[in-house]
């Protein structure tokens, strides 16, 4: 019985770790990357780049084809700044699909782990299908937002994380019930064997994909840094100060890295001169 209870505890760790893609490595969809962040929501499409927020000034920044609008007023800028803004727009438009791809892969890893844990520990395809429905909704959410060039901090912040955590709680409860039933019906050895199998399978499933995802995110950092340099080179001044769309991230947590289970790996690049 003691070993079976220990196995159950391990399963709870597995399920919680899967919220961030697995008990060994854990990509997390994050609003900060490459040591930079933004206070703005972002929309990038054929009409230009729009940054907006509810508090602080300026509230809106828009640029397209070398023109700049701040709080819905067109600004006088130099030819050099017009060229910088064109380059920033081109870079942002190229970067957004890459960010969407990283988000999809991060979610994919997470739900692959969840489905694998549920299948191994419960032998229930019905429960696996429930996990897959949550996966479909998460991917649809990404396609409808990042896939359309939109990053909303409210959506991809606490709300998005809370939705994922809700799925994890459901999965954890399901696994715990199956584990307890196995203990009380005298199948604790089978439970421990399955726990060992989950450990091996998760390592195999996550390690290579998580490393590739991290490399992809790190590769995009150079593009994000280039956006910051273009911003810093702008001659335009807003109320006598530089126009800030990207700024150093004050978070003490290193970004674009991989940690053990329970830690967050920030692997989604900032999509634009913004989030």
């Amino acid at each position: 019985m003691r070993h079976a209870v220990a196995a159950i505890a391990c399963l709870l760790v597995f399920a919680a770790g899967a919220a961030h893609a697995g008990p060994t490595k854990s990509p997390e969809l994050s609003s900060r990357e490459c040591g930079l962040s933004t206070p703005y929501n972002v929309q990038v499409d054929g009409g230009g780049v729009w940054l907006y927020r509810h508090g602080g000034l300026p509230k809106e920044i828009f640029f397209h084809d070398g023109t700049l609008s701040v709080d819905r007023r067109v600004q006088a800028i130099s030819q050099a700044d017009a060229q910088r803004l064109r380059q920033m727009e081109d870079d942002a438009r190229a970067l957004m699909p890459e960010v969407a791809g990283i988000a999809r892969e991060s979610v994919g890893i997470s739900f692959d782990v969840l489905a694998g844990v549920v299948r191994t520990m419960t032998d229930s395809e019905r429960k696996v299908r429930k996990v897959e429905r949550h996966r479909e909704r998460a991917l649809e959410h990404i396609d409808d937002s990042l896939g359309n060039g939109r990053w909303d901090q409210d959506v991809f912040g606490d709300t998005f994380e809370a939705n994922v955590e809700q799925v994890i709680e459901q999965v954890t409860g399901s696994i715990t019930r199956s584990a307890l039933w196995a203990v009380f019906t005298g199948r604790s050895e089978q439970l421990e064997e399955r726990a060992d199998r989950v450990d091996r399978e998760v390592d195999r499933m996550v390690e290579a994909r998580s490393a590739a995802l991290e490399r992809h995110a790190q590769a995009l950092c150079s593009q994000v840094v280039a956006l910051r340099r273009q911003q810093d080179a702008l001659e335009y001044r807003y109320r006598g100060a530089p126009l800030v769309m990207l700024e150093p991230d004050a978070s003490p947590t290193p970004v674009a890295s991989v940690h053990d289970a329970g830690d967050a790996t920030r692997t989604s690049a900032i999509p634009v001169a913004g989030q």
Side-chain angles (χ1 to χ4, degrees), residues 178-199:
S178 296
L180 288 173
W181 180 251
V183 171
F184 291 127
T185 55
R187 293 183 290 116
S188 59
E189 289 186 5
Q190 295 180 19
L191 178 66
E192 293 177 22
E193 291 174 358
R194 291 189 179 191
D196 289 340
R197 196 191 325 159
V198 166
D199 193 8

Side-chain angles (χ1 to χ4, degrees), residues 91-110:
D91 291 348
R93 191 170 290 114
L95 188 58
M96 188 63 79
E98 299 285 344
V99 178
I102 286 177
R104 285 183 62 88
E105 176 63 3
S106 180
V107 168
I109 294 173
S110 298

Side-chain angles (χ1 to χ4, degrees), residues 4 7-8 11 121-122 174-184 191:
I8 294 173
L11 293 177
M121 299 309 306
T122 68
S174 177
I175 292 175
T176 302
R177 288 191 295 271
S178 296
L180 288 173
W181 180 251
V183 171
F184 291 127
L191 178 66

